[in-house]
Amino acid sequence: MKDFFMLIGFSEILLVIFMQWEVYVTKIVKTFSVSSYLIALFLFYLSFIQHSYIVLVLAILTAVIRGFFIPYFILKRLSRDPWRERESTPITGTASSIIISLMIGIFTYVLYEATMSSFVTISLGALPIALIFQGAFLVISRRSAFIQLVGYMVMENAAFLFTGYLFPDLPFSVEAGTVLDLIGIVMISGVIMRMRENSAKKSDDFDELRG
Amino acid sequence: MNFIYALPMVASLIGALLCLVRIEKFEETISIIAALTSSIFSFVIVFLPNISNGFFFIDGISKIMLIVISMVYVLTAIFSTTFLKYIEEPLFQKRFYYLLLDLFTFSMFFSVSINNLGLVWVGIEATTVTSALLVAVENDEPSIEATWRYIIIVSSGLVVSFISNIFIYASTGTLEISKLLSISSFSGLLPLGAMMAIVGYGTKAGIFPMHTWLPDVHGKAPAPVSAIFSGVLLPVALYVIIRVIQFTPVSYVKTFALVLGFMTVIVAASLMAVQTNYKRLFAYSTMENMGMALIGISLGGYALLGVIILILSHAFAKSSTFFLSGNLLSRYKTTKIDKVTGVMKRMPSTAYTLLFSAMAITGMPPFGTFFGEIMIILVLLSAVPVGWTILLMAFLALAFISVNFKVGKMIFSDSEGKNMERKRVGTIIPIIDTVLSVAIVFFIPWIEKVIK
Amino acid sequence: MIILSVIQLVYVLALAPLIAGLIATIEERIESKKGPSIFQPYYDLFKLFRKESVVPSAASPLFRIGPYVTFALYMLLTLVLPIITAFPLQFGPVVDFIGGGLTFGAAATFKKLTALDSRNNYSHLGTSRSASIGALSEPITVLIFIILGVISQTNNPYVINNVLQTSTSWYLSLVHWFVAAAFFMVLLVETGKLPIESHSTAELGAIDQSMEMEYSGTDLAFFKWGGYAKQFLLMSVFLNVYTVPFWVPMRMNFNAVFIYMGIQLLKLIALSIVFSFLEETVSKFRLFKNFDYISIAFAMAFLSFLAFNVSR
């Protein structure tokens, strides 16, 4: 169980680092889809070990919504206007952002281990916490709205993994609420992004957003 | 009998669903009726006993929050009827605006009455989802950019508070607020979880350093939406922080909250002095008030009463301010302070009300905010060295001077112009609001009894 | 024992051009062309040995000794690395793993120095590119060797091979596979395969090709032979220590060693096929994207360190 969790956790960290490497937005979304399927796989395995139907339902929900539906939605939105957001290089340059993402992951991991090792119940949760901060860096490092959305969803995925591994007996309503809120956020973001393409007044007066 | 506690929620939810009916002007009336119903129910609930069972947890503070939410809801719903026609190309029809507004208040009612921290988290996340599109009603690029920033920053903060929920669950084995308030022993994870919760929900409440979305959103959202944001959404996020600090009797968590509140006030006051946009000016004033509230929450005891009074009177005063700024925007078509001149001549009742509500939000007697802030400062004097209190008061004075000077400049400057104001809903509502924020003072003893 | 060392040296030097020729031919076959014969590098080397060396007038004596020094360093490395045996041969204790990595670095540095000495513009171009990429890939190699040392508590490549051969838990662990992936990425850089470097002499992409541009005759023959030997050695290390450390004889047994020489050839042919497929599927990176590639290799090596920490 711990080995499988380690395998999934490290694959997720590696996939987030690959996301930092890639420049095309569709590839990043597809990598996110793969990482969601990995988390669903982990939840399936968890449900087999614990013989729990609740976790099984959660696994199926994760696979369907985060693995298939949301990336499909984003890719469909992208394909409508391919010239607008095809590539997006990070603000600091790709090589530096890979190294920074790696360092953030390792730093938060070490910090977490150093502070939490005394609490035995959650001592293995360092990997998802490192993932959260790597997702936050993904949001910060790119200017494209799609990638910021993917970064936010990586954070939510990591929080899900954290809960799923350490406390599978948390009330189902909370976790289902998480999934539903994620749908809400993605819907709203879809609407916002559509608005961005054809907003009524194309004003360049961004002065109102400064100061 | 317990169902009565859910009635404010149900009223706004029914209002939301009925907004979908396609009858002309139906959505406005139904929303106003739903708002009035929910506020009547909130007043009724005040007189009922406190309850904490598996689903609800309603004690004194929750009842006051219910009243605040419902009253500001009423005022916003009424004000929105006239304001929406000043937006040239709105994003969606009026029906959806009222639908989202009703759902937004439903999620806020939900967040303050539920007994489970996880469901409270879901409620606050739902407020983000429903209010995001309300911010973007004006449908131009800066609005959409502001909405996007709001969504991403607040949702990231809420992920942090999700993790804090897990920490709290790990250390105490439960997520029910009623049980958490009476635990005796907990592991060291609880203070860590509490600090993460303060950071996470503080993002929603506009606490430094997570406040970056606040001025953008308030600068670009239409006036009624800004009013309900500043008036109730931020206090609802602070309500969760109140609960977290109540069940974490560890001193360094309170120090952490105190430091954050302090920094918020300092940053907000400093930034207020250089503002050139009156909507952003009022947004920073909200941030300052929330910082004061966080200081009061961290001190506890008598200061908590001050916080409740501050939240109550600030809700009315700030919503009045934003309503008035909506009036200004619709008349002057600009949000820059320099371009708004001679309000006294052109819109006299707006000018008078703006003068008083600007005094109200910066904490001048006889408004309720003054009494709230005084109580907080008195408790602060006995908790920290005198120097810090004087520093805080200096920044409060800076904020006072900035806001009132700029507002005074807008109102009293010279210009030619005829008085083209008509006494309509848009001018009467702010007057009612500002009067309410004075009236709070008379209810202070009764509030103290409710909270105990 | 010393006779095994001599056999190993002859094995490497004799078969290195064969592997190079094999990779080239397989690539051409994938492209549906007939391709050169697999012994073509041998014919090239024989041709070059018969030609005279022409030296530019501006070059110093370093220019002439360069190829021989690098060739000698590669010969030293064939004596110390585990190619056909998993027990240390006569000269095994001369350098450990890190010393091996540094010797590779020394040979590369010497080649860069002689390229600079040749005063050719294209050689300078190739040197600067090679140096920038090498500056980033050398630390990764050292990091990989350190991590392997941490796994097996030694820095002896033979012991590392033994540990990975015998213990399944180490073989299947995340640490090992992260390190293997990182080394594969560095291998592509060091042997000059796509997507880092293409085989043409066009200056757009040439890194290694242009460093030998001024050489001719016997000097060029030794440079090329040294390059083939370097490729052979790195591929053998990758196979014998990282990915398929099986069937390498761990005890002194002449029959096992001779049988293994054949198996080793088969492993190398398999890796050559993998390389050819890889080269035919990807295209060359834009020059500055090489640094992103190396950052990923570094990330994987570092993550293996983290994995080791977690699993401890």
Side-chain angles (χ1 to χ4, degrees):
Chain A
M1 171 68 171
K2 174 184 165 188
D3 290 332
F4 195 62
F5 178 69
M6 251 183 65
L7 183 65
I8 296 282
F10 275 106
S11 320
E12 293 282 329
I13 293 185
L14 198 62
L15 280 174
V16 173
I17 292 184
F18 278 161
M19 276 197 236
Q20 286 285 3
W21 189 20
E22 278 150 17
V23 161
Y24 291 108
V25 179
T26 48
K27 286 226 158 107
I28 294 183
V29 174
K30 285 177 190 161
T31 316
F32 170 72
S33 168
V34 169
S35 81
S36 302
Y37 282 133
L38 275 180
I39 291 191
L41 189 70
F42 175 73
L43 286 174
F44 269 123
Y45 181 71
L46 196 67
S47 72
F48 282 141
I49 283 196
Q50 301 198 328
H51 306 290
S52 148
Y53 284 117
I54 293 182
V55 183
L56 185 65
V57 170
L58 214 53
I60 295 177
L61 263 179
T62 308
V64 168
I65 292 179
R66 290 184 207 229
F68 174 72
F69 174 63
I70 290 179
Y72 169 72
F73 184 69
I74 296 181
L75 285 174
K76 210 159 65 117
R77 168 110 16 241
L78 268 176
S79 66
R80 269 182 220 177
D81 196 2
W83 307 117
R84 193 179 175 87
E85 305 225 28
R86 214 175 102 222
E87 296 186 21
S88 159
T89 47
I91 296 180
T92 55
T94 321
S96 316
S97 74
I98 293 174
I99 299 291
I100 293 176
S101 175
L102 177 72
M103 286 305 146
I104 285 179
I106 300 218
F107 181 69
T108 50
Y109 183 88
V110 167
L111 200 63
Y112 188 90
E113 283 278 305
T115 51
M116 303 286 179
S117 55
S118 48
F119 307 112
V120 189
T121 40
I122 61 168
S123 61
L124 273 169
L127 283 171
I129 300 288
L131 261 180
I132 289 184
F133 284 96
Q134 281 189 311
F137 180 68
L138 193 59
V139 172
I140 297 172
S141 69
R142 305 266 178 156
R143 283 202 198 94
S144 155
F146 292 100
I147 301 184
Q148 284 173 349
L149 188 64
V150 167
Y152 166 68
M153 288 196 288
V154 164
M155 286 171 79
E156 284 255 346
N157 264 356
F160 220 61
L161 189 63
F162 187 68
T163 323
Y165 175 62
L166 292 172
F167 300 106
D169 44 316
L170 253 194
F172 176 67
S173 52
V174 174
E175 312 216 3
T178 318
V179 177
L180 287 168
D181 277 328
L182 195 67
I183 301 180
I185 295 270
V186 174
M187 289 292 174
I188 302 288
S189 312
V191 173
I192 301 277
M193 285 193 267
R194 180 161 47 105
M195 280 158 51
R196 261 183 171 186
E197 291 158 17
N198 43 17
S199 59
K201 289 186 284 190
K202 292 244 184 262
S203 70
D204 277 329
D205 185 15
F206 280 90
D207 256 354
E208 296 177 331
L209 295 181
R210 287 195 202 104
Chain B
M1 195 52 199
N2 286 341
F3 182 67
I4 201 169
Y5 291 99
L7 280 174
M9 279 194 263
V10 169
S12 61
L13 187 62
I14 294 179
L17 289 170
L18 285 175
C19 276
L20 290 170
V21 174
R22 287 175 185 263
I23 301 180
E24 183 72 31
K25 295 242 192 253
F26 184 63
E27 68 272 356
E28 297 176 352
T29 38
I30 198 67
S31 295
I32 297 176
I33 292 175
L36 284 169
T37 332
S38 63
S39 69
I40 293 174
F41 285 135
S42 311
F43 273 108
V44 164
I45 287 180
V46 171
F47 295 107
L48 294 176
N50 294 350
I51 179 180
S52 82
N53 61 15
F55 196 62
F56 290 113
F57 178 77
I58 299 197
D59 76 341
I61 303 181
S62 316
K63 291 176 187 170
I64 307 277
M65 294 300 301
L66 282 174
I67 294 181
V68 171
I69 298 174
S70 49
M71 289 185 71
V72 176
Y73 178 30
V74 170
L75 294 164
T76 309
I78 299 178
F79 188 81
S80 304
T81 54
T82 62
F83 189 75
L84 281 180
K85 57 175 176 285
Y86 291 116
I87 302 177
E88 289 155 12
E89 291 195 38
L91 180 61
F92 36 67
Q93 305 163 329
K94 239 184 188 188
R95 282 190 301 126
F96 289 123
Y97 175 86
Y98 277 102
L99 174 73
L100 283 173
L101 190 66
D102 293 335
L103 281 177
F104 180 44
T105 23
F106 165 69
S107 55
M108 284 198 283
F109 280 133
F110 184 77
S111 307
V112 300
S113 359
I114 299 298
N115 196 5
N116 185 333
L117 257 186
L119 287 176
V120 168
W121 183 88
V122 173
I124 303 238
E125 182 90 36
T127 62
T128 310
V129 170
T130 46
S131 57
L133 283 178
L134 284 175
V135 177
V137 167
E138 273 185 36
N139 203 10
D140 61 351
E141 276 202 48
S143 298
I144 298 171
E145 178 68 27
T147 315
W148 184 252
R149 288 184 194 181
Y150 171 55
I151 294 178
I152 289 291
I153 295 179
V154 168
S155 303
S156 308
L158 284 177
V159 172
V160 173
S161 44
F162 185 73
I163 299 291
S164 83
N165 278 0
I166 307 296
F167 277 20
I168 293 175
Y169 183 75
S171 87
T172 53
T174 171
L175 274 181
E176 294 202 7
I177 300 182
S178 49
K179 292 206 187 106
L180 282 169
L181 283 171
S182 55
I183 46 169
S184 51
S185 73
F186 46 85
S187 66
L189 274 181
L190 187 62
L192 273 167
M195 287 203 286
M196 288 183 76
I198 294 176
V199 167
Y201 291 113
T203 315
K204 189 91 193 176
I207 306 293
F208 177 85
M210 295 87 59
H211 65 280
T212 41
W213 60 274
L214 192 75
D216 299 336
V217 164
H218 282 104
K220 288 308 296 179
V225 175
S226 286
I228 201 167
F229 262 52
S230 288
V232 275
L233 179 61
L234 273 58
V236 165
L238 278 182
Y239 163 80
V240 188
I241 298 183
I242 293 179
R243 293 285 178 225
V244 167
I245 291 192
Q246 267 183 339
F247 64 67
T248 313
V250 179
S251 64
Y252 61 83
V253 172
K254 301 191 185 181
T255 321
F256 179 69
L258 184 71
V259 167
L260 275 184
F262 220 88
M263 296 293 307
T264 311
V265 173
I266 291 180
V267 167
S270 320
L271 283 171
M272 258 195 262
V274 294
Q275 287 302 312
T276 54
N277 177 335
Y278 56 81
K279 290 184 89 160
R280 286 175 78 93
L281 180 71
F282 294 139
Y284 280 113
S285 160
T286 305
M287 193 176 141
E288 175 224 342
N289 281 319
M290 291 301 127
M292 283 298 292
L294 189 59
I295 292 178
I297 293 172
S298 70
L299 293 169
Y302 200 44
L304 195 60
L305 175 64
V307 167
I308 299 295
I309 298 172
L310 180 65
I311 287 181
L312 265 173
S313 46
H314 172 256
F316 297 125
K318 189 48 70 64
S319 53
S320 139
T321 320
F322 274 113
F323 290 148
L324 292 164
S325 67
N327 285 347
L328 284 178
L329 182 62
S330 62
R331 174 82 165 84
Y332 286 85
K333 305 273 186 277
T334 172
T335 53
K336 293 220 176 300
I337 294 179
D338 302 328
K339 299 226 174 75
V340 174
T341 53
V343 183
M344 184 63 90
K345 268 210 195 119
R346 297 197 204 180
M347 305 163 81
S349 55
T350 301
Y352 280 118
T353 328
L354 185 62
L355 188 64
F356 285 120
S357 60
M359 289 200 289
I361 59 177
T362 48
M364 173 128 145
F367 294 98
T369 43
F370 171 71
F371 293 101
E373 290 187 358
I374 280 291
M375 281 190 227
I376 296 174
I377 291 179
L378 277 175
V379 179
L380 188 67
L381 263 176
S382 53
V384 294
V386 173
W388 294 111
T389 319
I390 296 185
L391 186 69
L392 183 71
M393 288 171 62
F395 277 102
L396 285 176
L398 175 65
F400 181 84
I401 295 173
S402 318
V403 172
N404 285 307
F405 178 69
K406 292 183 202 271
V407 167
K409 199 161 66 142
M410 282 201 291
I411 293 178
F412 293 114
S413 57
D414 254 345
S415 93
E416 297 106 34
K418 300 188 312 226
N419 175 3
M420 294 184 34
E421 199 180 27
R422 284 165 280 201
K423 285 247 188 300
R424 281 213 194 129
V425 173
T427 47
I428 298 183
I429 294 282
I431 300 179
I432 300 179
D433 241 341
T434 320
V435 167
L436 273 174
S437 113
V438 177
I440 290 298
V441 179
F442 298 108
F443 289 99
I444 291 184
W446 179 72
I447 294 175
E448 187 174 4
K449 199 160 60 85
V450 169
I451 293 185
K452 281 293 171 286
Chain C
M1 283 269 266
I2 202 169
I3 197 167
L4 275 181
S5 300
V6 172
I7 290 179
Q8 179 161 310
L9 188 65
V10 169
Y11 180 74
V12 170
L13 291 180
L15 287 181
L18 178 66
I19 299 293
L22 205 62
I23 294 180
T25 314
I26 297 178
E27 280 178 26
E28 298 289 324
R29 287 289 161 90
I30 293 179
E31 288 180 15
S32 314
K33 302 184 215 170
K34 186 161 179 227
S37 122
I38 55 175
F39 299 110
Q40 186 61 34
Y42 290 109
Y43 303 147
D44 289 340
L45 284 178
F46 287 153
K47 171 190 77 172
L48 284 171
F49 272 125
R50 285 200 298 269
K51 291 201 164 182
E52 70 165 327
S53 306
V54 178
V55 174
S57 53
S60 67
L62 189 67
F63 188 83
R64 282 237 66 191
I65 67 172
Y68 301 98
V69 169
T70 52
F71 192 71
L73 284 173
Y74 288 132
M75 284 211 295
L76 171 68
L77 279 171
T78 64
L79 294 172
V80 306
L81 288 175
I83 312 286
I84 55 175
T85 57
F87 52 89
L89 291 176
Q90 182 71 23
F91 296 103
V94 172
V95 280
D96 62 351
F97 226 159
I98 298 190
L102 291 177
T103 313
F104 271 118
T109 312
F110 213 82
K111 184 169 181 185
K112 292 188 184 83
L113 281 176
T114 54
L116 283 176
D117 192 49
S118 68
R119 308 279 202 278
N120 182 345
N121 281 336
Y122 290 116
S123 304
H124 283 211
L125 181 72
T127 311
S128 76
R129 288 177 182 173
S130 174
S132 354
I133 296 182
L136 296 176
S137 65
E138 296 287 335
I140 303 178
T141 324
V142 175
L143 189 63
I144 291 175
F145 293 154
I146 291 176
I147 294 171
L148 282 180
V150 167
I151 292 182
S152 58
Q153 317 287 322
T154 93
N155 53 6
N156 188 338
Y158 298 98
V159 176
I160 294 175
N161 176 308
N162 292 351
V163 165
L164 285 175
Q165 233 186 66
T166 50
S167 138
T168 345
S169 66
W170 273 124
Y171 185 72
L172 289 175
S173 67
L174 267 178
V175 185
H176 171 235
W177 285 108
F178 271 136
V179 162
F183 191 73
F184 185 72
M185 295 177 89
V186 171
L187 182 67
L188 287 180
V189 173
E190 296 280 338
T191 53
K193 300 264 170 282
L194 284 170
I196 311 290
E197 189 184 337
S198 64
H199 293 307
S200 63
T201 47
E203 82 186 57
L204 188 66
I207 301 178
D208 245 352
Q209 302 280 75
S210 51
M211 286 206 281
E212 336 176 300
M213 215 171 249
E214 279 294 327
Y215 282 94
S216 49
T218 331
D219 301 338
L220 185 59
F222 275 110
F223 249 152
K224 277 191 181 292
W225 206 358
Y228 298 148
K230 171 182 176 185
Q231 182 176 287
F232 190 93
L233 286 170
L234 282 173
M235 285 165 75
S236 308
V237 165
F238 178 65
L239 287 170
N240 285 349
V241 178
Y242 289 88
T243 33
V244 208
F246 306 117
W247 310 301
V248 192
M250 289 197 273
R251 300 256 177 276
M252 169 75 162
N253 183 346
F254 268 110
N255 292 337
V257 171
F258 278 116
I259 295 176
Y260 182 67
M261 279 162 59
I263 299 180
Q264 164 86 329
L265 192 60
L266 288 174
K267 282 198 224 172
L268 283 172
I269 291 176
L271 189 59
S272 313
I273 296 179
V274 169
F275 272 174
S276 312
F277 269 105
L278 190 62
E279 289 214 314
E280 290 296 316
T281 20
V282 301
S283 59
K284 198 181 92 68
F285 276 153
R286 201 163 43 91
L287 199 61
F288 283 103
K289 274 180 83 79
N290 289 332
F291 301 117
D292 310 340
Y293 175 82
I294 297 205
S295 310
I296 294 282
F298 179 72
M300 286 214 237
F302 219 96
L303 278 179
S304 78
F305 210 45
L306 194 67
F308 178 72
N309 213 21
V310 174
S311 63
R312 189 158 44 94

